[in-house]
Amino acid sequence: AGLATGTTPIGLYACLVDDCAQGKISFADVTTFNLDEYRGLDPEHDQSYRYFMKKHLFDHVDIDQARTHVPEARTPMPRPCAQPTNRPLKRRAHRFAAARLGPNGHIGFNEPEDTFPKATHCVDLTESTIQANSRLFDRVEDVPRQAYTMGIGTIMAARSVLVVVEGSHKAEIVKKAFFGPVTPEVPASILQFHPDAPSLSIRQRVRCASKGRLGSDGRGIRVRRHRHRRRALRGCRPAGHCGDGG
């Protein structure tokens, strides 16, 4: 399974923890690969994604933590950063990947670029991402300027991709990602080519002006599959839309 971080999936992980505690599900045979990690943060730093996953999921379910994988944040040079995370990824495609939708359309830390990067790579975070994440740090200056992220090609190889969205402020980017043109300037738009990529909207209502409503009414979670768009794109091959990555 590929897993996302950030404030958006916290509620989702709380539901999984509760289901595991009730014996409805088990993580005993699950292997996880996180989509991303800030470059340079110690795993014990309270804003590292290893710390996040332990706090919100790993320490509360019956998972073998030796089978949990988060990109190594302290790799000294950008170029080798793909090596430790890509070795296990090459052995199997994910059955399932959860990805949060960023305000600028990023999934993982795949920021808007000229191409869709295939492989795990180092990325320079955009100013909008730095500002959006600064609320979690004491000062904006403390937000790392680089991150390691699973590439678009690896995410697209998952059998199923769940896109998690929270907040009415993301209505416009939802519209662009799921109903606009497929472009690396909106990285999540590539998921329109995926055969199984529903969206999950939680907590606050998310409206798309031209395509009705995505989201919950405050009483639960709504999942919407964008079949109308997928039918129009049937037969297209996402691999042809990926760049070489970093």
Side-chain angles (χ1 to χ4, degrees):
L3 300 178
T5 50
T7 55
T8 299
I10 288 176
L12 176 62
Y13 292 149
C15 291
L16 293 176
V17 169
D18 186 57
D19 284 350
C20 188
Q22 295 181 43
K24 296 179 181 179
I25 60 174
S26 173
F27 289 81
D29 296 322
V30 172
T31 300
T32 68
F33 298 91
N34 268 73
L35 271 63
D36 46 26
E37 177 62 288
Y38 288 116
R39 185 183 178 208
L41 286 192
D42 188 279
E44 299 304 316
H45 189 288
D46 64 4
Q47 291 305 320
S48 80
Y49 289 160
R50 167 62 72 178
Y51 183 99
F52 175 96
M53 293 306 304
K54 288 172 67 67
K55 177 181 179 180
H56 294 289
L57 185 65
F58 296 159
D59 284 352
H60 308 288
V61 296
D62 59 339
I63 195 167
D64 178 358
Q65 299 217 21
R67 297 177 65 171
T68 65
H69 305 276
V70 180
E72 173 53 58
R74 293 170 295 180
T75 302
M77 294 297 289
R79 184 168 294 277
C81 77
Q83 296 173 3
T85 46
N86 269 355
R87 277 197 292 268
L89 292 178
K90 288 177 180 177
R91 292 199 296 265
R92 62 175 72 83
H94 301 304
R95 292 180 180 272
F96 169 80
R100 71 188 184 281
L101 180 66
N104 62 1
H106 71 227
I107 48 174
F109 269 133
N110 290 283
E111 299 280 37
E113 295 187 36
D114 295 331
T115 60
F116 291 107
K118 289 182 181 179
T120 302
H121 61 290
C122 266
V123 61
D124 293 326
L125 301 182
T126 62
E127 187 59 31
S128 64
T129 295
I130 292 169
Q131 291 297 326
N133 291 355
S134 65
R135 71 192 190 283
L136 304 173
F137 291 80
D138 293 336
R139 305 175 305 159
V140 67
E141 292 81 8
D142 295 334
V143 182
R145 267 44 183 178
Q146 289 185 314
Y148 302 147
T149 185
M150 187 182 295
I152 294 291
T154 306
I155 295 171
M156 288 292 289
R159 296 183 188 178
S160 180
V161 181
L162 178 67
V163 184
V164 188
V165 188
E166 179 185 27
S168 58
H169 66 288
K170 291 188 178 178
E172 187 61 30
I173 197 61
V174 166
K175 179 180 176 182
K176 290 180 179 179
F178 298 133
F179 304 108
V182 175
T183 169
E185 294 179 1
V186 182
S189 66
I190 191 67
L191 293 172
Q192 294 182 42
F193 288 98
H194 198 285
D196 188 12
S199 66
L200 180 90
S201 298
I202 60 177
R203 295 188 185 176
Q204 299 179 30
R205 186 167 296 175
V206 177
R207 293 184 180 275
C208 287
S210 64
K211 295 293 181 180
R213 189 177 73 203
L214 291 172
S216 73
D217 56 8
R219 294 174 295 188
I221 293 174
R222 173 172 297 180
V223 176
R224 178 165 179 171
R225 295 176 182 271
H226 310 287
R227 291 193 180 94
H228 66 284
R229 180 68 172 170
R230 199 167 295 118
R231 281 198 298 269
L233 295 170
R234 188 170 294 154
C236 295
R237 299 181 61 186
H241 293 263
C242 292
D244 292 335

